[in-house]
Amino acid sequence: MTDTITATRRRRGLLLSGTAATAVIALTLSAYGLRTWLTARGVSSGPALWAWTPLAVLLLTQTVLYLCERPHRADAHGQEHLDGLHVAVLVPVFNEDNGYLRAALSSLLAQTRPPDSVHIVDDGSELSHRAVRRWWAAAARDHGINTSWHRTTNRGKRHAQVLAARHCPQADVFVTVDSDAQLAPDALHEVLQPLADTRVQAVAGLVLARNNRNGLLSRMTDLWYVTCQMVERSAQSPLGSVMVASGSLAAYRAELLTDHTEGYLSETFMGRPVTFSDDSMLTLYALVRGRVVQQPTAVVFTAMPEDLGHHLRQYLRWMRGSSLRSLWRVRYLPARHPALATQLLRWFQQLATTAALLWLLALHLRPGPLPSPVLMTVPLLLTAGQTLRYLVLRRSDQTLRSQLATWALTPLALLWSWTVLRPLRWYGAATCWITGWGTRQSGAEVHLTPTGTTQQATA
């Protein structure tokens, strides 16, 4: 049995106030610095400041929205309804490290709200999972959990999920869990809470990196990934417009998969079958039907890339999937759904920030006064304010000192984002017709060693 790891949101007041204050100060300084610099260059500041206004309003609105996010709580009647639901966990497996796979399955046995059934599909792995399969069959039986384990030829994650779902036609809720994802003990209970509201069709959990201390890259990835969830998704959640419920932990009403099985398995783009971005496709089905929210107390720990090649391949796949899915959202979402406006604003933000960076670079290279130091500190100040959200979580796998050390990497993470991830984002958008998976083709890329177990603690 692996050690239990947990996380809760308890460091709120000062950090949340600091985040909001940082956003306001950074935007004020940016307007002042832009005006001062342009005036020094003899350029009219009026149009430039007007162009900056929409971005400033967007960032301030985002700040207000994510500060408004609260965990969903079912009342007594709603909890009784949730307790009566058949919750089936779907676990697709492909070339997974056996240590991470066993940790993921062990965490299902330790849930305060046990799953009604767990269905695992080995999608033609080259690695042998026989030992884990034998252990799991006995462990699930001892815990009274109905389970199935099937091995197929390699047809992709979507086919594995559908096959797993077909072994549980009585399910009311499907919970998707990745094969390297270790759930906190109350994760299933928490991820079900928003489904007491009949308008909610899907729920996203909060994904943290289990191997966040295994090198500089994993630390920066954890900082970036947690911040994206605690800023962007937390701002989308009050509107019911969360764009992606990550496959590491997400809950869907069962009919979302059963009613769309054919389309889910046969998605194509430019004549090519789409095998990635499965989580965002299921989320899109949910958005078309209603609301998708984040439950920030439903915590799962997953394995993030530890080497550069794996990191870049994974991010490129994500960006290709994100670009493709954004086109589908504009095409299929109802005109009045907040998610459509969210997607259009995301496009504006990406284009505007990229254009601003290029514009500043062009002006910097021209003869004349250098950019105002005040203006040049604004991106760092804004990013540091947002990454403060990383410290809101009280984690049993990290001390506060360790979290502060990770947060201190913000300048380096910002530089990495500007010089590597942003160009890769646009390259992914330009090549989104390449729909291959790109990782785990030659076996597991991240390994859980005996010395990598996490010390048990309560949050």
Side-chain angles (χ1 to χ4, degrees), residues 60-287:
L60 286 174
T61 302
Q62 184 184 63
T63 301
V64 171
L65 284 173
Y66 68 63
L67 291 178
C68 289
E69 184 192 35
R70 295 293 184 273
H72 296 256
R73 286 288 169 257
D75 58 21
H77 177 72
Q79 188 60 54
E80 183 180 359
H81 169 69
L82 294 176
D83 291 341
L85 297 177
H86 184 109
V87 177
V89 176
L90 312 181
V91 187
V93 178
F94 178 68
N95 282 345
E96 185 57 78
D97 173 71
N98 282 310
Y100 272 112
L101 178 57
R102 180 159 177 160
L105 298 178
S106 294
S107 70
L108 293 175
L109 302 176
Q111 291 301 298
T112 58
R113 197 290 190 192
D116 296 283
S117 60
V118 177
H119 304 278
I120 304 163
V121 173
D122 182 346
D123 188 40
S125 298
E126 296 178 4
L127 297 178
S128 174
H129 302 304
R130 292 178 182 175
V132 177
R133 181 174 181 172
R134 288 193 298 269
W135 161 81
W136 169 251
R141 182 176 60 252
D142 291 343
H143 285 76
I145 297 176
N146 293 325
T147 189
S148 64
W149 187 309
H150 298 273
R151 176 176 170 82
T152 68
T153 58
N154 181 230
R155 302 184 64 190
K157 185 176 180 179
R158 298 188 190 201
H159 284 87
Q161 288 177 328
V162 169
L163 178 59
R166 284 174 177 165
H167 285 85
C168 191
Q170 72 273 31
D172 299 299
V173 176
F174 287 131
V175 175
T176 61
V177 175
D178 283 345
S179 56
D180 60 357
Q182 184 175 353
L183 277 62
D186 61 349
L188 281 185
H189 170 81
E190 290 296 321
V191 82
L192 293 175
Q193 291 296 299
L195 294 178
D197 182 348
T198 57
R199 299 172 300 170
V200 175
Q201 300 297 306
V203 183
L206 183 66
V207 185
L208 311 180
R210 174 168 181 171
N211 55 337
N212 58 75
R213 287 171 292 177
N214 291 8
L216 180 62
L217 184 60
S218 60
R219 274 190 182 269
M220 286 200 305
T221 302
D222 188 40
L223 175 65
W224 168 77
Y225 196 48
V226 172
T227 299
C228 285
Q229 293 174 94
M230 298 289 285
V231 172
E232 187 172 349
R233 290 185 191 173
S234 291
Q236 295 166 1
S237 189
L239 303 176
S241 61
V242 170
M243 298 293 194
V244 182
S246 298
S248 294
L249 176 60
Y252 302 93
R253 298 196 184 274
E255 57 269 22
L256 287 174
L257 183 54
T258 56
D259 290 353
H260 297 92
T261 296
E262 183 178 353
Y264 187 54
L265 294 179
S266 61
E267 183 189 6
T268 61
F269 181 69
M270 297 181 66
R272 294 169 175 257
V274 179
T275 60
F276 56 23
S277 199
D278 46 276
D279 47 8
S280 63
M281 189 64 179
L282 289 174
T283 309
L284 178 58
Y285 291 144
L287 286 170

Side-chain angles (χ1 to χ4, degrees), residues 244-377:
V244 182
S246 298
S248 294
L249 176 60
Y252 302 93
R253 298 196 184 274
E255 57 269 22
L256 287 174
L257 183 54
T258 56
D259 290 353
H260 297 92
T261 296
E262 183 178 353
Y264 187 54
L265 294 179
S266 61
E267 183 189 6
T268 61
F269 181 69
M270 297 181 66
R272 294 169 175 257
V274 179
T275 60
F276 56 23
S277 199
D278 46 276
D279 47 8
S280 63
M281 189 64 179
L282 289 174
T283 309
L284 178 58
Y285 291 144
L287 286 170
V288 171
R289 293 191 177 205
R291 294 169 59 86
V292 179
V293 300
Q294 177 176 252
Q295 179 71 337
T297 51
V299 177
V300 59
F301 294 80
T302 191
M304 292 294 180
E306 296 177 3
D307 66 78
L308 181 60
H310 185 197
H311 169 69
L312 295 179
R313 291 194 305 275
Q314 182 189 71
Y315 188 77
L316 181 59
R317 185 183 75 238
W318 285 353
M319 292 305 100
R320 284 170 173 162
S322 175
S323 301
L324 171 59
R325 199 61 64 226
S326 65
L327 298 175
W328 275 196
R329 294 187 191 111
V330 172
R331 180 176 178 180
Y332 293 111
L333 284 176
R336 294 185 179 181
H337 201 298
L340 179 59
T342 302
Q343 177 60 63
L344 295 175
L345 288 172
R346 176 188 280 184
W347 277 352
F348 167 76
Q349 186 178 26
Q350 290 171 353
L351 289 170
T353 53
T354 301
L357 287 174
L358 295 175
W359 180 71
L360 286 173
L361 178 62
L363 289 181
H364 179 73
L365 295 176
R366 291 173 55 186
L370 293 176
S372 166
V374 173
L375 182 61
M376 297 305 292
T377 62

